[in-house]
Amino acid sequence: MVFEWIASFAVNGLGLTGRLADAAHFWIYDTLKIVFILFTVILGIGYLRTYIKPERIRDYLKGKHSIFGYLGAAALGIVSPFCSCSTIPIFIGFVGAGIPFGMIITFLFVSPMVNEAASVVLLGTLGWKITLAYIAGGVLIGVSGGFILKKLGFEKYIKEFDMASKKHIDEEISKRQRLKLATTEARDIVKQILPYVIVGVGIGAAVHGYLPEELITNYLTGPLAVPVAVLVGVPIYTNIMGVIPVVESLIGKGLPIGTSIAFMMSVAALSLPQFVMLKKVMEKKLIAAYAAIISIGILSLGLLFNLVL
Amino acid sequence: MKIEVFGSENCKKCSSLKQRIDKVINESTKEAEVNKVTDIERMAKLGIMSTPTVAVDGEVKSTGEMLDEKGIKELID
């Protein structure tokens, strides 16, 4: 591939050898690959998203009570935009439209945990097995979490809003305009995420070139490693794109897949800024239950995947 | 003219769109007050579900789109 060639050319050109050459090759190659995949995927999804507006999904989910409603909410959570800041307006829109509470919560669970571009980057770096585990695991936690909180009667902890719920009318825009919107979005998002990718791949490269394998196989392969991974992951607030290359290197050094996925998900799914945002739309008890279900869910997934994968 | 850009506090896209609108206004002959609005209750009242959303004189003109300079010009003309 052309990125492989560029990375080798740069490493040879700089006259690097040994571990440093290995690390530098990893850094250049992975940064180029991830940025390329990101741009392509965001462009594609951004284009499709001009057809699937949240208002339209809201109209679709209204009155749905079946498992399809839950899966639909989870699917929307996956394709919802990168910035967690857009989750809250969608959430309020759903509440105002009278969409069943369990589905709204499912959306809120899946949205930060599973990300469509991250899925494609995972597919390109770590293969289909891990990608599938990541998506299915996130959807499973989301759907069951939504269902559990509904059964436990947590609906009363959502704050009330005076919400305008207009039926969505699609504006007629041309394919060319849609492509233009998607290109602007892809360019802006990639620009925003780039620093995270560069730093993340840098850390990944250091792990790849210098971290002794024995350190992982001796200390991070037992069942206790999963809770430790979640505990370390939760306070870290960064973009998931910065975490994937680190996880890629750690798996290469022998870190079990379940532990890796648990770490990756906990970094993305729970964060202080997110709680501050949620505080505006729900009471503390619901936030605590939400955080507890995500943590326990990720922990169980990690342990399960370590057993079966 | 009053232009409002709706979005949460940590929505970087919304802040960059506001800056872009400021730039277009400064380079044009139009007079406008541009504000970023983070009030969730107001967003709810206007039925805003996608950010950034731009409203001109209280009327929602664009939702969930990162407008470029040309798009902004069309919006304020």
Side-chain angles (χ1 to χ4, degrees):
Chain A
M1 214 161 125
V2 65
F3 302 140
E4 175 75 49
W5 185 83
I6 296 174
S8 304
F9 184 77
V11 170
N12 292 336
L14 290 168
L16 302 174
T17 51
R19 286 181 169 190
L20 188 62
D22 247 15
H25 187 279
F26 182 95
W27 197 351
I28 299 168
Y29 175 74
D30 258 45
T31 303
L32 291 174
K33 186 166 82 174
I34 292 178
V35 168
F36 173 76
I37 298 177
L38 260 185
F39 185 80
T40 320
V41 176
I42 299 171
L43 184 69
I45 297 274
Y47 184 80
L48 290 179
R49 214 184 273 139
T50 61
Y51 288 95
I52 320 164
K53 294 264 182 189
E55 290 86 352
R56 211 166 161 185
I57 310 258
R58 174 196 63 195
D59 294 345
Y60 167 79
L61 286 178
K62 239 189 250 178
K64 295 263 184 319
H65 289 276
S66 61
I67 184 72
F68 294 110
Y70 278 87
L71 291 175
L76 177 68
I78 295 176
V79 300
S80 67
F82 264 87
C83 177
S84 57
C85 55
S86 46
T87 310
I88 299 300
I90 297 179
F91 176 83
I92 300 174
F94 282 179
V95 174
I99 288 169
F101 170 74
M103 286 174 207
I104 302 177
I105 293 295
T106 295
F107 162 76
L108 210 58
F109 271 123
V110 178
S111 181
M113 243 187 321
V114 188
N115 170 298
E116 82 283 359
S119 309
V120 182
V121 172
L122 270 182
L123 191 67
T125 47
L126 291 165
W128 67 269
K129 226 189 209 177
I130 295 180
T131 311
L132 194 68
Y134 163 75
I135 298 174
V139 171
L140 185 71
I141 296 178
V143 172
S144 38
F147 196 73
I148 291 169
L149 287 180
K150 182 183 166 239
K151 286 284 168 211
L152 292 176
F154 272 73
E155 192 163 357
K156 55 179 183 270
Y157 298 119
I158 286 191
K159 291 184 182 166
E160 277 183 28
F161 284 95
D162 176 13
M163 178 78 196
S165 173
K166 299 173 274 191
K167 193 156 172 64
H168 181 64
I169 299 158
D170 275 321
E171 298 157 38
E172 273 306 312
I173 54 171
S174 68
K175 284 202 170 77
R176 205 173 151 184
Q177 273 172 305
R178 287 179 200 277
L179 189 65
K180 209 175 134 212
L181 283 173
T183 315
T184 315
E185 186 177 338
R187 206 186 47 211
D188 287 340
I189 293 179
V190 171
K191 223 193 272 172
Q192 246 176 50
I193 300 179
L194 192 63
Y196 295 97
V197 174
I198 294 174
V199 173
V201 181
I203 298 172
V207 169
H208 178 79
Y210 296 98
L211 191 82
E213 243 167 73
E214 301 76 44
L215 204 69
I216 289 178
T217 43
N218 288 349
Y219 298 104
L220 293 173
T221 46
L224 261 182
V226 181
V228 171
V230 175
L231 278 178
V232 173
V234 169
I236 302 177
Y237 179 56
T238 182
N239 194 285
I240 191 163
M241 295 305 162
V243 183
I244 292 175
V246 180
V247 165
E248 182 191 356
S249 289
L250 288 171
I251 290 179
K253 293 276 176 178
L255 188 70
I257 291 176
T259 314
S260 312
I261 291 183
F263 176 65
M264 199 170 66
M265 280 185 152
S266 58
V267 169
L270 293 170
S271 67
L272 196 63
Q274 193 198 2
F275 292 152
V276 173
M277 275 192 301
L278 289 178
K279 182 82 188 33
K280 290 181 179 173
V281 292
M282 57 178 71
E283 288 175 29
K284 278 183 194 152
K285 275 188 184 167
L286 182 51
I287 300 180
Y290 171 83
I293 288 182
I294 290 201
S295 309
I296 296 169
I298 294 177
L299 195 69
S300 321
L301 273 187
L303 293 170
L304 177 77
F305 289 151
N306 275 352
L307 276 179
V308 298
L309 287 177
Chain B
M1 190 186 326
K2 198 176 163 195
I3 302 175
E4 291 166 298
V5 182
F6 290 90
S8 315
E9 284 93 349
N10 57 345
C11 171
K12 287 185 191 149
K13 250 164 84 174
C14 310
S15 306
S16 3
L17 181 60
K18 185 197 171 281
Q19 282 172 6
R20 211 175 271 176
I21 296 176
D22 279 330
K23 187 174 169 254
V24 172
I25 295 288
N26 284 337
E27 287 167 1
S28 76
T29 51
K30 303 245 174 208
E31 286 221 3
E33 184 193 332
V34 188
N35 290 311
K36 186 179 165 194
V37 183
T38 55
D39 181 358
I40 290 185
E41 298 206 9
R42 270 208 66 207
M43 286 192 231
K45 270 190 190 140
L46 286 169
I48 294 170
M49 283 182 73
S50 323
T51 57
T53 280
V54 182
V56 179
D57 294 328
E59 194 187 332
V60 173
K61 293 278 186 186
S62 138
T63 58
E65 281 168 22
M66 191 62 202
L67 297 166
D68 58 7
E69 291 188 12
K70 200 175 155 225
I72 297 168
K73 278 180 195 153
E74 282 168 14
L75 213 98
I76 57 174
D77 271 337

